[in-house]
Amino acid sequence: MGLIVKEFGGTAVGDLDRIRNVANRIVKTYTAGNNVVVILSAMAGITDGLIDMAHKITPSPDKREMDVLLATGEQTSAALLSITLMSMGYPASSLLGHQAGVMTNCAFGDARIVDVGASRIKEYINNRRIVIVAGFQGCDEEGNITTLGRGGSDTSAVAIAAAIDADSCEIYTDVDGIYTADPNICEKARKMNKVSFDEMLEMASLGAKVLQIRSVELAKKYNVPIHVRSSFNEEEGTMVMDVDSDMESPVVSGVTHNKNEARITIKTVPDQPGIASKIFSAIAEAGILVDMIIQSSPTDNLNDLSFTVPKKDFKEAMKIGKRVGSEIGAKDVLGEDSVAKVSVTGVGMKSHHGVAAKMFTALANENINISMISTSEIRISCVIEEKYAELAVRALHSAFGLDKEE
Ligand code: ASP
Ligand code: MG
């Protein structure tokens, strides 16, 4: 007998028929002798609909009230599932975030979980009840309702699984797992059987579409393996777990691309202490996240400095770059927003050499120019022209032997 946490996304509970399907799935696990704790999202489209409604009243609705509003989506689906299970003759109880002991800080709309009490969950389980917890929500110290950011019920599920020491945490979604590349652009992408927490975090651009990335951070911290699988079939999905790099690990397990960055180059700045600090302090003060940074080695005591920022912040970062650039005597500030970042990620990289060379060769074979390079222990990223992003992903996917067999 095990203790199983199952989380279902919005499409899985999109209407009453689907809620009944979810109920049947839960019953199967429950009648096999397991205890089941279910975390639910709001029915598909509900959260968006509530946000739209509030914005019809005012463009900037009060944040505390928004969380009171948005939490109703999950309250509805949790109650409907509980009613369904009870109508089928099974003991079920729904709990809202605060009733389940999900305590958060007070950052409305993007709250972080600080503790999960879970005493009521445990009490119900001990009485063989199926527990249904409204995901995405919690409450702060003062008892205000909070929400965890879009996609937050994934994070609820992992936090609750950790708090009750569950035997497994299954996240049911629209896709049947995590793929080696975005299957929409790379038709040879394969579903991975397992992927490590670290790879998943590095592949945020793939993973974030499937899992709220904060849920992976939490899963890594508390070592909660996540089984990401489809709510529409019984197939095994992808295990996101603690995988050590060993000879068995593929050198590269996934290829990702990100078109949401722009590049800024500050030309010929003096090679002296305090220059980088000035530039990046000004960017940080504007709340802009910098991803890659490259400084050329100095010639004639002058450097070029390039960095990337999110595309949405490009204009503002350019303004700051120009202002600070003229203060420090830079010759020019150049911007390019039609760039993309392609990355290869794999824990196996730690014990293999030649990965970078192979990546650069694969890009060169397609005549794709690399304008910036950055690496971490388990990832290599290149900035290229945006129009080549898809081609680059497919070329790298083949070069690293990830293509599925015909
Ligand atoms: N209902 C929330 C959203 O749409 C939370 C979730 O689905 O995980 O973002
Ligand atoms: Mg979800």
Side-chain angles (χ1 to χ4, degrees):
M1 195 177 105
L3 172 55
I4 318 283
V5 168
K6 292 177 187 275
E7 188 241 333
F8 294 89
T11 26
V13 293
D15 58 36
L16 293 181
D17 283 339
R18 289 191 170 170
I19 288 180
R20 180 163 278 273
N21 284 340
V22 165
N24 285 329
R25 255 191 129 129
I26 292 165
V27 164
K28 219 170 147 185
T29 309
Y30 176 79
T31 51
N34 301 295
N35 283 318
V36 188
V37 176
V38 183
I39 319 296
L40 284 194
S41 295
M43 296 165 85
I46 293 293
T47 309
D48 288 334
L50 292 169
I51 293 173
D52 283 353
M53 243 197 282
H55 283 105
K56 275 192 186 130
I57 306 171
T58 162
S60 50
D62 182 78
K63 288 194 166 165
R64 178 185 180 279
E65 300 309 323
M66 276 311 279
D67 279 7
V68 176
L69 178 68
L70 296 189
T72 62
E74 274 70 12
Q75 175 162 355
T76 307
S77 54
L80 289 172
L81 177 62
S82 192
I83 291 169
T84 307
L85 283 163
M86 289 170 99
S87 76
M88 292 161 69
Y90 295 94
S93 301
S94 64
L95 290 174
L96 299 180
H98 71 273
Q99 296 172 319
V102 181
M103 303 301 300
T104 71
N105 64 12
C106 60
F108 297 117
D110 194 24
R112 305 234 152 199
I113 297 177
V114 291
D115 185 40
V116 179
S119 58
R120 243 166 123 179
I121 300 182
K122 289 179 190 157
E123 183 192 318
Y124 286 149
I125 294 171
N126 288 338
N127 293 318
R128 275 294 277 162
R129 298 193 78 78
I130 300 169
V131 188
I132 297 146
V133 184
F136 175 58
Q137 54 176 269
C139 82
D140 71 6
E141 247 176 19
E142 282 166 21
N144 296 303
I145 294 175
T146 54
T147 66
L148 310 180
R150 298 310 302 269
S153 43
D154 299 341
T155 302
S156 308
V158 173
I160 289 170
I164 61 175
D165 199 16
D167 297 304
S168 84
C169 177
E170 303 172 355
I171 294 192
Y172 290 82
T173 118
D174 311 1
V175 295
D176 48 13
I178 312 289
Y179 278 72
T180 49
D182 181 347
N184 294 317
I185 63 159
C186 180
E187 37 165 53
K188 291 180 179 157
R190 282 184 295 111
K191 186 177 81 188
M192 294 185 245
N193 294 328
K194 59 179 183 184
V195 60
S196 72
F197 293 129
D198 290 324
E199 287 169 322
M200 199 69 233
L201 290 170
E202 291 279 7
M203 290 193 277
S205 65
L206 271 187
K209 291 179 199 157
V210 184
L211 290 177
Q212 193 192 41
I213 219 66
R214 267 165 57 198
S215 70
V216 184
E217 287 164 8
L218 213 61
K220 179 181 168 177
K221 187 164 166 199
Y222 294 104
N223 196 13
V224 179
I226 306 175
H227 186 180
V228 180
R229 58 194 308 189
S230 166
S231 47
F232 303 117
N233 63 49
E234 303 270 332
E235 245 134 81
E236 299 277 307
T238 302
M239 289 302 302
V240 185
M241 58 194 287
D242 187 12
V243 202
D244 275 338
S245 73
D246 52 37
M247 298 308 280
E248 305 292 310
S249 315
V251 179
V252 164
S253 42
V255 181
T256 54
H257 68 295
N258 177 353
K259 293 184 174 180
N260 291 321
E261 287 184 27
R263 183 185 67 228
I264 295 175
T265 302
I266 306 195
K267 297 283 287 177
T268 55
V269 296
D271 181 36
Q272 66 192 41
I275 292 293
S277 147
K278 252 199 193 114
I279 296 170
F280 293 106
S281 299
I283 301 273
E285 263 160 43
I288 298 174
L289 282 175
V290 173
D291 179 22
M292 286 192 203
I293 300 175
I294 286 179
Q295 183 181 276
S296 61
S297 61
T299 24
D300 301 329
N301 285 326
L302 293 169
N303 280 324
D304 286 349
L305 237 165
S306 293
F307 56 97
T308 62
V309 295
K311 234 167 225 175
K312 65 171 174 51
D313 297 322
F314 176 59
K315 281 208 179 101
E316 200 185 343
M318 272 301 278
K319 247 193 241 158
I320 297 169
K322 285 196 168 140
R323 175 169 54 77
V324 181
S326 73
E327 281 168 26
I328 59 180
K331 209 164 118 202
D332 206 356
V333 178
L334 309 171
E336 177 56 77
D337 67 348
S338 52
V339 295
K341 182 172 77 174
V342 289
S343 310
V344 299
T345 306
V347 280
M349 259 182 223
K350 289 186 193 173
S351 51
H352 283 78
H353 53 82
V355 182
K358 193 167 185 173
M359 178 175 194
F360 305 152
T361 306
L363 294 175
N365 288 343
E366 298 295 339
N367 240 328
I368 297 171
N369 190 43
I370 303 167
S371 68
M372 292 172 91
I373 299 165
S374 80
T375 61
S376 81
E377 202 180 19
I378 63 164
R379 177 184 46 75
I380 305 171
S381 301
C382 295
V383 172
I384 59 171
E385 271 186 80
E386 184 175 359
K387 63 182 178 197
Y388 296 128
E390 284 83 4
L391 175 63
V393 168
R394 288 191 288 264
L396 293 168
H397 199 266
S398 297
F400 285 100
L402 297 173
D403 288 357
K404 78 174 162 215
E405 275 141 43
E406 300 294 310

